[in-house]
Amino acid sequence: MQIKKANGQEIVTFCLLTLLSGFMIGIGGTASLLANATMGLWSRLIGAVLFSLGIFAIVTYGMKLFTGMVADIPQMGVKNLWRLAVCFCGNTLGVLLVALLVKHSFLADVVVPKGAAIIAAKLSADRWALGSFCSAVLCGWLITLSVLAPKYASKKNLSASVGVIFPVVVFAFCGFDHSVANMLYFYFAGEFSWRIVGYIACSILGNVVGGLLLPLVMMLKEKADQANE
């Protein structure tokens, strides 16, 4: 089923939901960076758990996240693909808002250098473009598992909340590239280069490729089940 054509009010609401989604990713990312900088041995795991707050809130309140909307591409239709571009822009603005607030808060001295160091390490790695793409594919796959959990978990009498949170904890713990979350690190780095543009493009493409795998397979499965009824 294709998404219906949106009117003016729906478009405004959609844009606001993309902004709030980016805001939540920024908050989750900030909490994760703070944990990584201060929590010692268990910092990576604690940071991953804290980051999952962002996705949990997005799924719970129906906010619009670019990597989550990728799962809707098979049902969108070509005329509605503009939603993805608008969603990414809204998400990045939401993340920027958090970055600006954090930079002028008491967390700045701890969080900002940590975020800048993380993205600097990724950009300086050998074969950074391939690394970004492959890492983003894995992230896209896990995010789709998360956002589709409420739809499928109840059919198996499983907890939707666990289904939403657990894949996010795994991707954040592994450090896979999330194109929206990465924007927080780029903002904290405070630099612009064509390498950064390339890195963002590779992570977006990887998120789309990884995020499409499960929806396409489930669509084929549903068609096969209907044919066998």
Side-chain angles (χ1 to χ4, degrees):
M1 182 177 66
Q2 291 188 347
I3 299 174
K4 66 178 182 179
K5 185 177 180 180
N7 59 38
Q9 184 177 355
E10 289 171 335
I11 292 174
V12 171
T13 302
F14 176 79
C15 291
L16 289 174
L17 289 172
T18 67
L19 186 70
L20 291 178
S21 183
F23 194 83
M24 284 309 307
I25 291 295
I27 291 176
T30 298
S32 179
L33 288 172
L34 183 61
N36 273 272
T38 62
M39 300 299 291
L41 182 64
W42 293 94
S43 62
R44 193 178 183 97
L45 179 58
I46 295 171
V49 173
L50 292 175
F51 180 83
S52 68
L53 166 68
I55 305 294
F56 180 76
I58 288 166
V59 173
T60 301
Y61 295 98
M63 301 174 197
K64 301 299 181 181
L65 180 65
F66 171 76
T67 49
M69 284 193 67
V70 168
D72 296 329
I73 289 178
Q75 288 80 38
M76 273 187 182
V78 176
K79 292 182 179 180
N80 287 296
L81 290 179
W82 62 268
R83 292 172 179 265
L84 290 172
V86 172
C87 187
F88 185 81
C89 292
N91 291 165
T92 57
L93 288 175
V95 173
L96 173 59
L97 179 56
V98 173
L100 291 174
L101 292 171
V102 170
K103 278 189 173 182
H104 293 89
S105 76
F106 59 86
L107 296 176
D109 291 342
V110 177
V111 172
V112 173
K114 186 66 177 180
I118 287 175
I119 204 62
K122 290 187 175 185
L123 286 168
S124 63
D126 294 335
R127 299 186 299 173
W128 57 267
L130 179 62
S132 173
F133 173 78
C134 293
S135 175
V137 169
L138 296 170
C139 175
W141 167 259
L142 289 167
I143 287 294
T144 302
L145 289 180
S146 175
V147 299
L148 291 183
K151 178 179 179 180
Y152 293 101
S154 60
K155 297 179 180 180
K156 303 293 183 180
N157 294 318
L158 300 173
S159 169
S161 295
V162 173
V164 170
I165 293 173
F166 193 54
V168 179
V169 172
V170 171
F171 107 69
F173 179 77
C174 293
F176 294 146
D177 280 292
H178 188 283
S179 54
V180 176
N182 277 352
M183 299 304 293
L184 184 68
Y185 308 145
F186 289 125
Y187 291 144
F188 285 159
E191 298 179 6
F192 175 82
S193 69
W194 287 111
R195 176 172 287 200
I196 289 176
V197 174
Y199 198 98
I200 294 171
C202 289
S203 61
I204 290 174
L205 181 60
N207 286 164
V208 171
V209 171
L212 276 174
L213 295 175
L214 183 62
L216 290 175
V217 172
M218 296 307 295
M219 184 173 65
L220 292 174
K221 180 180 180 298
E222 290 171 0
K223 288 183 178 181
D225 291 342
Q226 291 174 359
N228 292 327
E229 289 179 353

